[in-house]
Structures are given as C-alpha cells and as structure tokens.
Amino acid sequence: GAGDGRAASLHVLRFAELQTCTDQTAFSDAMADLFAHSCKGFGTGVLFGEVLRGVLSIVRQHHVAIDANYMTLVTNVLCIEGMATTLLPGYNVLDAARPLLETHRRLPRPLFRALLPAITATKRMIDLAFMLLLPSEPGGK
C-alpha cells in the first residue's frame, strides 16, 4: 500500500517457512523496480492486479517459495480485483483497503484483532457511501 517494493519483498519472503530464493538481494531489487514503476502507493491509481501479476512473475523468476494458503489468497485477490474493475470501474481495491491495511500495519496484532469488528463496520460504511454515489442503472433498476 505504501509503494515500498523493498518492504514488500521482505513480506513476500516470509510467505513460506522454508524459503528457496537463492538471491534475496536481487529479488528485493526487482521488487523495488516493479514498485517504482507500477505501485507508487495509495491514492495513485495503482492497478492492483497488474502489480500482483508483476510480483508473481518476479517470484517465479527468483524461485521464491510461497505457501499454498498465501497463494490461494493472492489468487482470490486477483479475482476480486478483476470483478471490481469490471463491475465498478471507479473502485480501486487497494485504495478501498487502505483503512484496514494501515490499521493492521500500525497496531499490535492482538489489538488489531480485538478492533477488527469495528474496523470492518467502518469499512462497510465507507463502501456503502461509495455505492450511493454511483449513478443508478438506466431504467431505474
């Protein structure tokens, strides 16, 4: 979310208990380059699916191991981003997730988990406000 490819590379390297990446510095450099061009952070019109596909390409190139649960999550995010882009072109998944991601980054894990219901309710209200701003369908449907 913050547009920091080096920080993102460190997170990706933790997506597996046993890491197979042979050159973590080269991986980090490649991620920094991708983010410099494609992921400048929140509010910059990031095409999240494009960034994820770029990350997956770099992961494959550098033989980075990713556990199945994380890979499933990435696949689901790609599907959600694709559907959101098709159904609501003005909706940016990364920007919409900002309150949740920023809160997760700043709070200790136990506190974040305790506050998650309130954070989720706030996110729903923000999404509802976005939906109410959308033009209604032709024909009044």
Side-chain angles (χ1 to χ4, degrees):
D4 185 344
R6 293 197 189 283
S9 72
L10 296 175
H11 289 288
V12 172
L13 288 168
R14 289 187 291 225
F15 284 176
E17 292 209 16
L18 179 62
Q19 193 47 257
T20 56
C21 180
T22 56
D23 188 348
Q24 293 184 6
T25 301
F27 172 68
S28 181
D29 291 345
M31 289 284 286
D33 187 51
L34 170 70
F35 276 57
H37 294 96
S38 300
C39 188
K40 294 183 180 10
F42 295 117
T44 61
V46 171
L47 300 174
F48 196 50
E50 180 181 306
V51 173
L52 276 178
R53 284 185 287 280
V55 168
L56 291 176
S57 176
I58 293 169
V59 161
R60 190 172 39 253
Q61 176 186 355
H62 291 274
H63 308 287
V64 175
I66 297 180
D67 286 343
N69 288 339
Y70 286 108
M71 200 57 227
T72 300
L73 177 64
V74 168
T75 302
N76 289 336
V77 168
L78 282 169
C79 290
I80 290 168
E81 194 269 342
M83 287 188 307
T85 300
T86 300
L87 296 172
L88 300 168
Y91 189 82
N92 185 291
V93 173
L94 183 63
D95 291 341
R98 183 179 190 167
L100 183 66
L101 295 172
E102 288 285 342
T103 305
H104 181 267
R105 185 174 61 86
R106 291 185 175 145
L107 294 180
R109 181 173 264 182
L111 183 56
F112 177 78
R113 284 188 177 171
L115 292 174
L116 190 56
I119 296 166
T120 303
T122 302
K123 173 73 173 88
R124 283 191 192 117
M125 290 187 328
I126 292 168
D127 286 345
L128 179 59
F130 177 83
M131 296 296 288
L132 291 174
L133 293 174
L134 292 174
S136 59
E137 251 183 84
K141 293 183 180 178

